[in-house]
């Protein structure tokens, strides 16, 4: 029976975590029914709504009971608990399994979105895996009868870096288990599958798998967030009727690795581009989902790339195959993860379209045995025919032989009775159970180390007990009670623990690295209950003291990985960068600093591990985390965005590199791969091009100094010594500079040229010089005399940075550098720039082998005397520009056309003004020739005739003079408007073929047109007001003149 159905998709939004709360993140997710809406934090009007099969709100509206279980805080709460999710999704999986269908449920989302919490749970909050397994055995107990039997087989493995490791095996294979293709799809060869007769057995196996995974992450320096965990439950129902009828179902419960959004190309350029796709499985999973989605909507798809990764091979039946599948997408509610959340929701939306063809897996047991035997007979006959014909098909013969071995293995397993398998599992279970009982007894009697892992699911899985007397910690064990650790930085004999009189004293051996509560320990130290102990580089343990030291108020869960890392960063790292950070994050902390603090504590352990690997592999490289732009500001004095960087120092050559955080995390993945290869084979690749520790030497940014330009607005010379401050906020060098207003010939202007009002410079030519004369106390060169420096700066949005000549091998040097600038027509925008901006002098460090920087004068406009011309600069040139050139070029062309139309409109307006001006002049002429009335009187007497007025002063003001004065004011104001219009017509882009120049030109021209329109409107308005006042005044005087006394 074939049942065609689409993949079911559920979305669950988790609560805010500590990092998001410290950064005062806002919620951008809302849910109503099966609709999930995401809000763009940068554009509140931009919303996107997705519809899924299930939407679960778990962000707020919950309380924690005494058992630590999260429950809705009232009858009207929207909170969806773990149990609610199980009742809807987990029971659907079980129903499908009982009906004979294969069933799969997998969680998808970025690291920290709550995938592991959903699948396995923490503390009292059980996840889907234990709840599904427990409910399965409960129903088996209810259905158990003489007419049928039920068999459950449990297996558990993880996939990391395209290698499969059996989590139920005591031995970890160096290259992992092989994945093969059989009759019913892909399977993992030699994977341990353990029969279970009750949930308690299965729960012990689950704990064992998690414990082995936790040990592996420590010993092999891997991170669980980058590995996939797969739990397979083979459920078989045998019904006794006329013939043996078997129903079997494969239940796959998958916790995927973190699906971090891929950074756009170019944001963190690195020659190791494959590092961004080191988890090939998730990349391929996305391609498979996209292909299946396209196929479902009728698009032509030639190839589904199942075989491109281990994960997609093993999930091929769950995706578009014989399975009923549910995908649970976990997301964060925080606005800081908008891009990642949007990417996750889009992925989930594509997954909705995937169509599966589920089949009830029902067969006759006897018929299955006969089919396997017939297959083997046919395969042997094929091999015999090939050998007889003499054809050399070694590859085909090998494939056929492997198929025979696979069939024989299945035959043997089927012929082996369930009781035999269960008896073997029982003996193994008894051994495990005795170990569990013994562990519980020792916990009640002895102190112990409890492991702490980055993944909360793996924390507390490993306990190392401290027996009475002397216990040695190291890679090898001399006595049975010794603690064997194989993590990074662990020596053969690392430390000694002495337990006597209910006291435990720890002493490092040969200065081995041990930190207690974040502080390095070099001598004997008595451990206290709940001490945080870091052994080597990545072995984190919580010391649990003797039973009499413990009490019910101990909050062991409080001491998680983040607590360890915060403590370590505060003492070892973050305190050094001097940001005033206390031991605890305060509620009123600046969100930007809160983000940096959390990023810093996340990268600290990674840096320690990378340093330890470098030391063990003799790479001679040191990694140091730093905070970039801690005190740096831009040209307007506003703080730059802070970010985490890693300084990479070669101890042999003294060369220094600066890696962004993303580049370091990518490189660390490759560093881990090399270290794993070293552990497995004892060798490391010797090709420089494949060495992630190595990189080509580049010029480094050392610091910056600000030179404020306001004195130039008053034509005043300025000379000062400014400090170049590095990213730590400390002085890197002292630079002496001069700003000199000068004449067109280059001679400095004297005090007589000082102006009081900068607006007097409008429309005039201005020349000035920027001189850099000295650079003193350069720390970069003091550290290594073979180094050099250069200084670069920008002026008023020039399209290229200006650089001084390079200076080598001298920490105190004279620099006779002068650059002349000229602007032919000073604008209001340029004056505003001088008043509010500074020139930022960027100090760059040179190393042997790196190329010196040169000014690209091809992109800089120069005057005839060699001065840099500033008239054609556009201050808003650093506006972000889309990378889609064709689309952007078309858009800019349309914008330019619109601007040209606006210019034509302004010209029409100017012609209309001229016409109106002519009309006004004619009106003036008419008013001047108005006949006078003989009956008018003034000052009590009759007015004299025109012939008699020639020798008398008119009692009326001269209207001609008034109108002339208004027109003169209008004329002079229109000169400025006309100059702007001419400037607007003459200015062209520096390079019409470059998208950046077109963008800058369009923005600047738009601004000039707006200013021109405002000034034109102001001029016309003032003229109209002046004429209206003159006419009103004339009428008033005429009325007064004819009024009776």
């Amino acid at each position: 029976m074939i049942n065609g159905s689409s993949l079911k998709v559920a979305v669950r939004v988790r609560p805010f975590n500590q990092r998001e709360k410290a950064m005062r993140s806002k919620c951008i997710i809302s849910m109503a029914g099966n609709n999930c809406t995401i809000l763009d934090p940068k554009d509140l009007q931009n919303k996107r709504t997705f519809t899924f099969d299930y939407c679960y709100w778990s962000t707020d509206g919950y309380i924690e009971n005494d058992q630590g279980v999260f429950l809705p805080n009232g009858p009207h709460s929207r909170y969806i608990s773990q149990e609610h999710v199980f009742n809807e999704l987990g029971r659907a999986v079980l129903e499908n399994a009982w009906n004979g269908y294969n069933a799969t449920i997998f969680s998808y989302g970025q690291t920290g979105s709550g995938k592991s919490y959903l699948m396995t749970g923490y503390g009292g909050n059980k996840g889907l895996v234990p709840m599904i397994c427990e409910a399965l055995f409960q129903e088996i107990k209810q259905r158990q009868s003489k007419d049928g039997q039920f068999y459950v087989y449990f297996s558990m493995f993880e996939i990391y870096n395209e290698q499969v490791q059996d989590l139920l095996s005591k031995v970890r294979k160096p290259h992992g288990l092989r994945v093969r293709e059989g009759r019913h799809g892909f399977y993992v060869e030699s994977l341990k599958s353990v029969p279970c007769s009750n949930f308690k057995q299965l729960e012990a196996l689950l704990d064992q798998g998690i414990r082995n995974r936790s040990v592996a992450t420590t010993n092999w320096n891997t991170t669980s967030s980058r590995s996939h965990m797969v739990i397979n439950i083979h459920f078989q129902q045998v019904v006794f009727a006329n013939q043996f009828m078997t129903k079997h179902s494969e239940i796959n419960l998958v916790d995927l690795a973190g699906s971090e959004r891929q950074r756009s190309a170019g944001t963190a350029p690195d020659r190791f581009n494959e590092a961004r796709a080191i988890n090939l499985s998730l990349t391929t999973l996305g391609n498979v989902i996209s292909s299946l989605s396209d196929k479902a909507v009728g698009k032509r798809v030639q190839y589904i790339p199942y075989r491109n990764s281990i994960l997609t091979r093993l999930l091929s039946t769950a995706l578009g195959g014989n399975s009923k599948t549910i995908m649970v997408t976990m997301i964060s509610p925080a606005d800081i993860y908008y891009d990642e959340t949007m990417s996750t929701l889009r992925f989930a939306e594509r997954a909705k379209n995937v169509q599966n063809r589920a089949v009830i897996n029902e067969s006759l047991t006897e018929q299955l045995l006969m089919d396997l035997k017939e297959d083997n007979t046919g395969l042997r006959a094929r091999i015999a025919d090939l050998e007889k014909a003499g054809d050399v098909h070694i590859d085909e013969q090998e494939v056929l032989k492997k198929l025979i071995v696979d069939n024989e293995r299945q035959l043997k397993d089927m012929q082996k009775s369930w009781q035999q398998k269960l008896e073997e599992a029982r003996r193994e279970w008894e051994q495990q159970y005795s170990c569990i009982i013994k562990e519980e007894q020792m916990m009640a009697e002895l102190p112990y180390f409890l492991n702490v892992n980055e993944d909360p699911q793996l924390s507390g899985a490993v306990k190392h007990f401290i027996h009475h007397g002397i216990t040695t910690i190291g890679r090898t064990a001399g006595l049975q009670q010794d603690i064997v650790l194989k993590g990074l930085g662990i020596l053969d004999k690392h430390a000694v623990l002495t337990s006597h009189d209910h006291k435990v004293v720890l002493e490092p051996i040969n200065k081995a690295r041990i930190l207690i509560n974040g502080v390095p320990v070099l001598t004997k130290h008595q451990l206290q209950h709940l001490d945080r102990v870091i052994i080597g580089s990545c072995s984190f343990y919580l010391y649990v003291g003797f039973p009499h030291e413990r009490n019910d108020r101990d909050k062991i869960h409080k001491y998680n990985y983040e607590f360890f890392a915060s403590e370590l960063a505060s003492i070892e790292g973050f305190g050094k960068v001097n940001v005033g950070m206390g031991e605890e994050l305060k509620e009123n902390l600046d969100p930007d600093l809160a983000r940096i603090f959390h990023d810093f504590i996340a990268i600290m352990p990674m840096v320690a591990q990378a340093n330890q690997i470098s030391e063990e592999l003799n790479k001679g490289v040191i990694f140091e985390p730093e905070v970039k732009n801690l005190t740096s500001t831009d040209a307007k004095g506003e703080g730059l965005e802070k970010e985490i960087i890693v300084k990479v120092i070669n101890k042999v050559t003294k060369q220094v590199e600066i890696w962004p955080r993303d580049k370091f995390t990518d490189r660390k993945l490759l560093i881990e791969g090399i270290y794993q290869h070293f552990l497995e084979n004892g060798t490391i690749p010797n090709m420089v091009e494949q060495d992630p520790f190595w990189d080509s030497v580049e010029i480094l940014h050392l610091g910056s100094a600000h030179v404020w330009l306001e004195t130039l607005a008053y034509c005043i010379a300025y000379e000062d010594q400014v400090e170049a401050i590095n990213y730590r906020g400390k002085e890197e060098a002292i630079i002496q500079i001069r700003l000199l207003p000068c004449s067109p010939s280059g001679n400095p202007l004297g005090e007589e040229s000082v102006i009081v009002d900068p607006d007097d410079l409008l429309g005039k030519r201005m020349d000035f010089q920027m001189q850099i004369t000295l650079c003193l106390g350069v720390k970069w060169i003091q550290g290594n005399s073979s180094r050099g420096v250069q200084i670069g700066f920008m002026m008023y949005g020039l399209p290229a940075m200006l650089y001084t000549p390079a200076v080598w091998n001298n920490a105190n040097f004279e620099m006779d550098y002068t650059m002349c600038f000229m602007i032919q027509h000073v604008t209001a925008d340029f004056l505003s720039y001088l008043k509010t901006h500074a020139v930022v002098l960027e100090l760059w460090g040179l190393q042997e082998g790196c190329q010196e920087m040169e000014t690209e004068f091809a992109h800089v406009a120069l005057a005839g005397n060699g001065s840099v011309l500033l008239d054609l600069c556009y201050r808003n040139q650093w506006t972000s520009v889309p990378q889609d050139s064709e689309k952007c070029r078309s858009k800019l062309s349309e914008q330019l056309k619109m601007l040209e139309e606006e210019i034509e409109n302004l010209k029409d307006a100017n012609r209309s003004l001229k016409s109106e001006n002519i009309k006004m002049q004619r009106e003036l002429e008419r008013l001047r020739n108005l006949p006078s009335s003989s009956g008018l009187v003034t000052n009590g007497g009759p007015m004299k005739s025109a012939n008699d007025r020639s020798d008398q002063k008119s009692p009326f003001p001269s209207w001609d003079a008034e109108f002339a004065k208004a027109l003169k004011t209008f004329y002079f104001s229109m000169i400025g408007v006309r100059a702007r219009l001419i400037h607007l017509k003459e200015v062209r882009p520096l390079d019409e073929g470059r998208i950046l120049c077109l963008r800058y030109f369009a923005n600047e021209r738009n601004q000039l047109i707006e200013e021109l329109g405002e000034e034109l409107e102001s001029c016309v308005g003032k003229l109209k007001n002046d004429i209206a006042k003159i006419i009103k005044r004339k009428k008033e005087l005429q009325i007064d003149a004819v009024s009776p006394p």
Side-chain angles (χ1 to χ4, degrees):
M1 177 181 176
I2 297 178
N3 189 335
S5 63
S6 62
L7 186 146
K8 303 297 182 184
V9 178
V11 173
R12 190 182 192 189
V13 54
R14 63 160 172 77
F16 286 96
N17 60 27
Q18 291 301 319
R19 182 177 188 267
E20 294 161 353
K21 290 178 181 178
M23 293 180 64
R24 304 172 196 169
S25 299
K26 295 180 174 59
C27 181
I28 58 171
I29 300 295
S30 60
M31 289 181 172
N34 290 343
N35 294 327
C36 175
T37 301
I38 181 170
L39 176 69
D40 186 349
K42 297 179 181 178
D43 181 5
L44 300 181
Q45 302 301 318
N46 183 15
K47 296 181 181 180
R48 175 78 183 274
T49 299
F50 299 86
T51 301
F52 299 106
D53 298 289
Y54 308 92
C55 284
Y56 298 130
W57 179 266
S58 301
T59 300
D60 55 18
Y62 63 90
I63 57 173
E64 184 178 3
N65 66 12
D66 296 337
Q67 288 75 39
V69 179
F70 298 119
L71 301 170
N73 60 7
H76 303 294
S77 172
R78 295 191 299 157
Y79 179 76
I80 301 298
S81 64
Q82 293 278 79
E83 186 177 1
H84 185 117
V85 176
F86 164 72
N87 287 332
E88 288 196 353
L89 304 184
R91 294 199 182 279
V93 169
L94 288 173
E95 182 182 353
N96 292 329
W98 280 104
N99 290 332
Y101 292 107
N102 294 332
T104 301
I105 185 168
F106 63 93
S107 60
Y108 180 89
Q110 69 180 102
T111 299
S113 60
K115 300 184 304 299
S116 296
Y117 174 80
L118 169 76
M119 297 302 292
T120 56
Y122 305 137
N125 297 280
K126 288 186 177 181
L128 289 178
V129 172
M131 285 195 282
I132 287 173
C133 295
E134 186 174 14
L136 176 62
F137 280 105
Q138 288 175 351
E139 194 159 354
I140 287 175
K141 188 175 182 181
Q142 293 174 2
R143 298 194 184 192
Q144 197 77 47
S145 67
K146 295 181 180 179
D147 295 332
Q149 291 182 353
F150 306 98
Y151 309 112
V152 176
Y153 294 85
F154 180 86
S155 58
M156 184 175 179
F157 62 91
E158 73 171 347
I159 304 171
Y160 174 74
N161 203 13
E162 291 302 287
Q163 291 186 5
V164 178
Q165 293 293 341
D166 189 348
L167 293 176
L168 299 183
S169 175
K170 296 179 181 179
V171 180
R172 185 181 180 93
K173 290 198 173 183
H175 300 288
L177 303 177
R178 301 187 65 176
V179 175
R180 296 191 180 278
E181 187 173 10
R183 292 168 55 88
H184 303 291
F186 294 95
Y187 67 93
V188 180
E189 187 180 48
S190 303
L191 181 67
K192 191 172 184 179
S193 183
V194 183
C196 300
S197 59
N198 55 64
F199 174 66
K200 194 171 184 179
Q201 279 185 319
L202 191 147
E203 189 177 32
L205 291 171
L206 180 62
D207 292 340
Q208 177 189 346
I210 292 175
R211 186 182 304 110
N212 290 341
R213 193 182 187 201
S214 180
V215 171
T217 58
T218 302
N219 291 350
W220 287 77
N221 192 42
T222 59
T223 304
S224 63
S225 64
R226 295 197 303 273
S227 66
H228 315 286
M229 183 182 72
V230 181
I231 293 173
N232 175 265
I233 300 169
H234 179 75
F235 177 48
Q236 200 170 26
Q237 308 171 62
V238 179
V239 180
F240 303 132
N242 295 331
Q243 292 177 309
F244 287 101
M245 183 65 68
T246 302
K247 278 185 182 179
H248 57 89
S249 173
E250 298 289 341
I251 305 174
N252 290 307
L253 308 173
V254 186
D255 181 7
L256 294 176
S259 58
E260 314 312 333
R261 188 176 67 93
Q262 294 294 317
R263 292 178 296 280
S264 58
T267 55
D270 190 6
R271 60 194 175 94
F272 288 100
N273 291 322
E274 66 271 19
R276 295 189 182 91
I278 191 164
N279 199 334
L280 179 64
S281 298
L282 277 181
T283 305
T284 307
L285 177 64
N287 295 336
V288 168
I289 293 289
S290 296
S291 298
L292 291 172
S293 178
D294 291 343
K295 183 179 179 181
V297 297
K299 294 183 180 180
R300 184 178 179 183
V301 177
Q302 296 181 346
Y303 173 65
I304 308 295
Y306 289 117
R307 296 177 179 272
N308 290 5
S309 78
I310 297 296
L311 177 69
T312 48
R313 288 185 208 173
L314 296 174
L315 292 182
S316 57
T317 56
L319 300 171
N322 177 22
S323 175
K324 291 202 170 186
T325 304
I326 300 172
M327 183 180 83
V328 186
T329 304
M330 301 296 298
I331 59 174
S332 163
D335 55 351
I336 59 175
Y337 294 124
Y338 169 77
D339 292 331
E340 288 80 0
T341 302
M342 178 61 83
S343 176
T344 302
L345 291 174
R346 285 173 177 159
F347 178 87
E349 187 176 44
R350 291 197 304 272
K352 286 193 310 180
N353 298 325
V354 175
Q355 296 291 323
N356 287 356
R357 293 176 60 83
V359 178
I360 294 178
N361 303 300
E362 190 175 48
S363 62
L364 295 174
T365 306
E366 294 177 359
Q367 184 65 42
L368 183 59
L369 290 171
M370 292 176 61
D371 290 343
L372 287 172
K373 290 178 180 178
E374 288 179 2
D375 279 352
N376 271 7
T377 302
L379 290 171
R380 288 193 176 94
R382 173 64 179 157
I383 293 176
D385 290 342
L386 290 173
E387 292 175 349
K388 186 176 180 180
D391 293 339
V392 180
H393 296 283
I394 298 176
D395 293 340
E396 185 176 356
Q397 290 183 25
E398 288 297 321
V399 171
L400 294 174
K401 289 178 181 178
K402 288 175 182 176
L403 288 174
I404 291 174
V405 172
D406 178 43
N407 287 346
E408 289 178 345
R409 180 184 60 80
Q410 292 187 52
L411 278 168
K412 188 181 294 184
D413 287 344
M414 293 182 69
Q415 293 169 345
K416 191 176 183 180
S417 71
W418 166 256
Q419 293 299 329
Q420 288 177 300
K421 297 176 183 177
L422 201 59
E423 180 62 25
E424 293 175 3
R426 186 187 62 78
R427 287 195 295 267
E428 188 172 342
W429 156 248
E430 287 177 352
Q431 294 177 358
Q432 293 181 4
Y433 186 72
S434 63
C435 292
I436 293 172
I437 297 299
K438 184 178 180 181
E439 183 179 276
E440 291 177 351
Q441 292 175 348
M442 289 192 293
M443 285 175 63
E445 299 173 1
L446 300 173
Y448 58 91
F449 285 132
L450 187 69
N451 84 301
V452 176
N453 195 281
E454 183 179 2
D455 187 346
Q457 174 199 13
L458 305 184
S459 291
V462 180
K463 302 176 184 68
H464 294 295
F465 293 95
I466 303 172
H467 296 269
H468 183 76
I470 296 177
T471 301
T472 302
I473 301 175
R475 287 184 175 271
T476 58
L479 301 174
Q480 185 177 359
Q481 68 185 40
D482 287 348
I483 298 174
V484 178
L485 302 178
K486 295 184 179 180
L488 270 174
I490 305 295
L491 306 179
D492 290 339
K493 300 295 181 181
H494 199 92
V496 172
L497 292 166
T498 304
S499 177
H500 184 68
D501 292 337
H502 292 92
K503 296 179 181 178
V504 175
V505 177
L506 184 148
E507 182 180 7
I509 299 176
N510 296 328
K511 298 180 180 180
R513 186 177 191 268
I514 292 181
L515 284 77
I516 298 179
N517 303 331
V519 179
V521 174
L522 300 176
T523 58
K524 291 183 179 181
H525 182 93
Q526 182 176 333
L527 296 177
Q528 303 296 324
H529 178 53
L530 300 182
D531 272 349
R532 283 78 61 200
V533 182
I534 302 177
I535 304 174
S537 297
C538 58
S539 300
F540 290 33
Y541 292 95
L542 180 69
Y543 171 72
V544 180
F546 288 91
H548 70 272
E549 297 179 89
R550 311 169 197 168
N551 59 61
D552 297 335
R553 292 174 296 177
D554 290 343
K555 296 183 178 180
I556 291 181
H557 66 276
K558 165 188 171 185
Y559 300 100
N560 53 19
Y561 182 84
E562 186 175 355
F563 187 97
F564 274 67
S566 300
E567 186 174 60
L568 183 65
S570 298
I571 296 175
E572 278 199 356
F574 216 70
K576 293 181 181 179
V577 298
N578 190 25
V579 295
M581 181 68 62
E583 292 184 0
E584 297 182 359
L585 208 58
K586 299 180 180 179
E587 293 183 359
N588 59 351
L589 183 66
D590 177 20
D592 194 26
L593 279 181
R595 174 183 62 82
I596 286 297
F597 179 74
H598 281 278
D599 291 346
F600 196 85
I601 65 176
I603 207 171
M604 276 290 294
M606 297 171 62
V607 170
Q609 294 165 18
N611 280 326
Q612 187 61 47
I613 294 176
S614 173
E615 183 178 341
E616 292 190 20
L617 299 182
N618 297 318
K619 287 294 182 180
V621 175
I622 301 174
F623 300 93
E624 295 179 357
E626 301 281 357
V627 180
K628 183 180 178 182
N629 297 332
L630 188 62
T631 59
S632 302
T633 57
D634 61 12
K636 293 193 291 186
E638 299 175 356
L640 297 174
E641 184 179 359
K642 301 170 181 60
E643 58 180 298
I644 300 297
I645 58 173
V646 177
K647 181 190 288 187
V648 186
I649 305 171
N650 190 312
K651 293 191 293 186
V652 178
T653 64
K654 304 302 181 182
Q655 292 177 340
V656 179
E657 302 169 32
I658 299 295
W659 290 357
R661 184 186 62 166
D662 291 338
K663 179 176 178 177
F664 170 75
T665 54
D666 287 347
R667 287 293 183 89
K668 185 174 179 290
L669 296 178
L670 298 173
I671 289 172
E672 290 173 2
I674 288 179
Y675 185 67
Q676 184 173 339
H677 184 274
F678 172 74
L679 294 178
E680 293 173 353
N681 306 295
T683 59
I684 58 176
N686 55 7
M687 294 180 64
V688 175
E689 291 78 6
Q690 297 178 355
D691 190 350
F693 291 92
W694 172 88
D695 222 346
S696 57
V697 180
E698 297 178 350
I699 194 166
L700 301 180
H701 183 263
L702 303 178
S704 57
H706 287 63
V707 180
W708 294 95
L709 303 172
E710 189 173 9
T711 57
L712 290 177
Y714 299 90
C715 292
I716 299 175
Y718 174 76
E719 182 175 359
D720 196 7
Q721 289 185 343
V722 293
E723 295 179 344
I725 304 300
N726 59 25
Y727 49 78
R728 296 191 191 94
K730 297 181 179 179
E731 178 190 296
E732 182 67 29
I734 295 177
I735 304 172
Q736 182 166 317
I737 59 93
R738 290 195 188 107
L739 291 174
L740 301 175
C742 59
S743 65
S745 60
N747 297 321
L749 299 178
E751 295 182 358
E752 68 280 358
S753 301
V754 174
I755 61 173
V756 176
D757 186 1
D759 288 345
D760 293 343
L761 293 173
L762 287 173
K764 298 179 181 178
R765 171 174 172 168
M766 181 178 182
D767 295 81
F768 63 94
Q769 295 178 355
M770 174 85 173
Q771 295 183 356
I772 303 176
T773 57
L774 290 174
C775 190
L776 307 173
V778 182
K779 305 293 190 298
W780 170 252
I781 300 180
Q782 289 177 352
N784 188 339
S785 60
S786 64
R787 297 169 176 167
V789 293
Q790 276 185 279
I791 299 175
F793 63 94
M794 296 288 298
M795 180 67 71
Y796 191 54
L798 284 169
M801 182 170 278
L802 306 175
Y803 294 102
T804 65
V807 177
W808 293 83
N809 313 325
N810 193 348
N812 302 281
F813 54 88
E814 293 184 2
M815 182 178 287
D816 187 15
Y817 176 82
T818 300
M819 183 59 66
C820 300
F821 300 92
M822 178 185 73
I823 182 167
Q824 293 175 321
H825 303 283
V826 174
T827 62
D829 181 73
F830 183 72
L831 283 181
S832 174
Y833 170 78
L834 294 181
K835 293 176 183 178
T836 59
H837 283 65
V839 168
V840 181
L841 302 179
E842 308 284 0
L843 187 64
W844 296 91
L846 304 174
Q847 307 176 74
E848 291 184 6
C850 73
Q851 188 174 2
E852 298 177 4
M853 295 183 293
E854 296 180 356
T855 303
E856 297 181 1
F857 281 106
H859 303 298
V860 178
L862 299 177
N865 60 359
S867 297
V868 175
L869 200 59
L870 299 178
D871 291 83
L872 303 181
C873 296
Y874 312 111
R875 201 154 42 97
N876 53 355
Q877 68 166 309
W878 300 114
T879 307
S880 60
V881 179
Q883 296 299 317
D884 188 352
S885 299
E886 292 300 326
K887 183 178 178 181
C888 187
R889 188 183 299 276
S890 157
K891 187 176 179 181
L892 287 175
S893 298
E894 293 178 4
Q895 190 175 357
L896 284 173
K897 290 179 181 178
M898 292 176 61
L899 293 175
E900 295 288 353
E901 290 176 2
E902 289 187 34
I903 291 176
E904 291 300 324
N905 292 335
L906 286 173
K907 289 180 179 179
D908 293 339
N910 191 28
R911 283 191 286 268
S912 299
L913 285 172
K914 288 181 179 179
S915 177
E916 188 175 349
N917 191 16
I918 293 172
K919 290 180 181 179
M920 288 180 179
Q921 289 177 350
R922 291 173 180 172
E923 180 68 17
L924 280 174
E925 195 66 32
R926 187 184 65 82
L927 290 174
R928 189 180 296 119
N929 298 326
L930 278 176
S932 29
S933 302
S934 58
L936 293 179
V937 290
T938 180
N939 296 332
M943 286 190 66
K944 297 183 179 180
S945 64
N947 295 331
D948 296 332
R949 289 184 309 183
S950 57
D951 58 344
Q952 296 184 17
K953 185 177 180 181
S954 172
F956 296 100
S958 174
W959 305 117
D960 289 349
E962 292 293 329
F963 279 115
K965 184 177 179 182
L967 285 172
K968 183 178 179 182
T969 303
F970 175 70
Y971 174 76
F972 281 111
S973 61
M974 284 300 294
I975 290 176
V977 175
R978 185 171 179 272
R980 281 182 176 274
L981 187 60
I982 294 172
H983 177 65
L984 192 63
K985 291 170 61 179
E986 291 178 349
V987 172
R988 304 302 301 170
L990 291 177
D991 187 352
E992 295 185 2
R994 297 181 61 202
I995 196 71
L996 286 173
C997 290
L998 284 174
R999 179 79 175 186
Y1000 308 152
F1001 172 71
N1003 290 337
E1004 184 69 10
R1005 202 169 200 189
N1006 192 25
Q1007 181 180 349
L1008 289 174
I1009 287 175
E1010 289 179 3
E1011 294 175 357
L1012 179 62
E1014 292 173 0
E1015 191 169 348
L1016 187 60
E1017 185 178 351
S1018 174
C1019 293
V1020 175
K1022 189 174 187 311
L1023 177 61
K1024 289 181 178 180
N1025 289 336
D1026 289 344
I1027 292 176
K1029 288 178 182 178
I1030 294 172
I1031 295 173
K1032 181 179 178 182
R1033 187 180 170 200
K1034 180 178 179 181
K1035 289 181 178 179
E1036 288 175 351
L1037 289 175
Q1038 288 177 344
I1039 292 172
D1040 291 341
V1042 299
S1043 298

